[in-house]
Amino acid sequence: MNFLSELAARRRFGMKPGLDTIRALCAALGHPERRFKSVHVAGTNGKGAVCAMLAAGLASAGKIGRYTSPHLVRLNERFVLNGEVLEDAPLEAAANAVERIIADARSPELEEVTFFEALTAVAFRVFADAACDYVVLETGLGGRLDATNICTPELSVITRIGLDHCDWLGDTVEKIAAEKAGIIKPGVPIVLGANLPAVRAVVAARAREVGAPFYYAPELASEAEIPAGFSLSGSFNRENAVTALAALKV
């Protein structure tokens, strides 16, 4: 399909952390990211699982979207609406709207929109058009300069942090934690999953700095609260479940 080839062609612009381009693109689209409530999730490990659990837990709150990456087989897998992978028609409509904006733009910020920036704008448009009540947004890389970070969420969540993308984010867990903590917004609660004391210190300090209520997941929820029929195996997924439960409580 044409819209897929157009999106794929944007890989040639590589990866460019920063918010100027996505801000300009979303402004030209009429700020779809402001038309739904969101929960913003960053981290090194477990953020995809936590996003899935949060979306499932929010299901009773209305129409729920979920934007994650990467996909395994089809691009559509990144966009989930009420537990179902998005069909081609709404995805194509949103992608075409984004490509028209880029093609018609006179702004220098939109000359080299990257693949992830375009997909993020598509996600915002898709979920705004669907009149979602909540959207769970997963960061692609880091947090502070990730394209998803133009949202002002109801809640921010950071899962376990380790050494990842060190060439972009830094070579210590403290430096990486600082980048992930860039999703914390003034007055917006932040839930941190189980982490090293050094990571907790960085995230808590950032929360204090911007006036965001800070919650440590293991202090709000426990494995004893995980439903008996929980289907994901592995101790790491029980940790993810505790993070999701704490986030839902907040």
Side-chain angles (χ1 to χ4, degrees):
M1 282 170 281
N2 184 58
F3 80 98
L4 289 178
S5 61
E6 290 285 347
L7 285 171
R10 299 204 164 276
R11 293 184 186 276
R12 71 186 186 277
F13 297 125
M15 188 167 54
K16 296 184 300 183
L19 302 181
D20 289 345
T21 297
I22 189 67
R23 281 182 177 138
L25 183 51
C26 285
L29 285 165
H31 290 293
E33 78 283 3
R34 298 177 183 175
R35 289 164 51 195
F36 50 76
K37 295 178 180 179
S38 60
V39 178
H40 198 196
V41 182
T44 303
N45 300 310
K47 62 183 189 288
V50 168
C51 283
M53 294 178 203
L54 285 173
L58 287 168
S60 63
K63 190 176 288 187
I64 308 300
R66 172 163 53 98
Y67 174 55
T68 58
S69 59
H71 60 277
L72 296 178
V73 179
R74 300 173 65 222
L75 187 76
N76 304 52
E77 295 166 22
R78 297 176 182 236
F79 312 87
V80 176
L81 182 60
N82 286 343
E84 300 292 334
V85 172
L86 197 69
E87 295 181 355
D88 287 341
L91 180 56
E92 183 169 8
N96 286 340
V98 169
E99 288 295 341
R100 281 195 301 273
I101 290 291
I102 295 170
D104 295 342
R106 301 290 185 267
S107 169
E109 287 92 350
L110 300 185
E111 289 179 356
E112 294 186 352
V113 176
T114 66
F115 178 69
F116 188 71
E117 287 166 339
L119 283 183
T120 300
V122 168
F124 291 153
R125 177 64 180 259
V126 157
F127 295 131
D129 287 350
C132 283
D133 294 287
Y134 278 92
V135 177
V136 180
L137 298 166
E138 179 190 17
T139 59
L141 173 65
R144 182 175 64 93
L145 298 177
D146 188 78
T148 59
N149 201 30
I150 65 166
C151 70
T152 300
E154 301 297 301
L155 176 70
S156 303
V157 180
I158 298 176
T159 64
R160 183 171 288 277
I161 290 175
L163 295 175
D164 70 309
H165 298 288
C166 294
D167 49 339
W168 289 96
L169 304 179
D171 56 1
T172 67
V173 290
E174 291 87 352
K175 290 178 182 177
I176 293 171
E179 288 296 317
K180 310 280 189 186
I183 70 168
I184 301 173
K185 306 291 196 305
V188 176
I190 169 69
V191 172
L192 176 67
N195 263 286
L196 295 171
V199 169
R200 182 175 177 178
V202 169
V203 175
R206 178 60 180 167
R208 286 193 301 272
E209 182 182 339
V210 303
F214 173 82
Y215 299 92
Y216 191 52
E219 294 177 350
L220 283 185
S222 71
E223 289 193 17
E225 297 175 82
I226 299 172
F230 185 64
S231 62
L232 297 177
S233 61
S235 60
F236 56 92
N237 271 319
R238 300 190 74 79
E239 178 182 296
N240 293 334
V242 168
T243 302
L245 283 168
L248 289 166
K249 287 183 179 186
V250 174

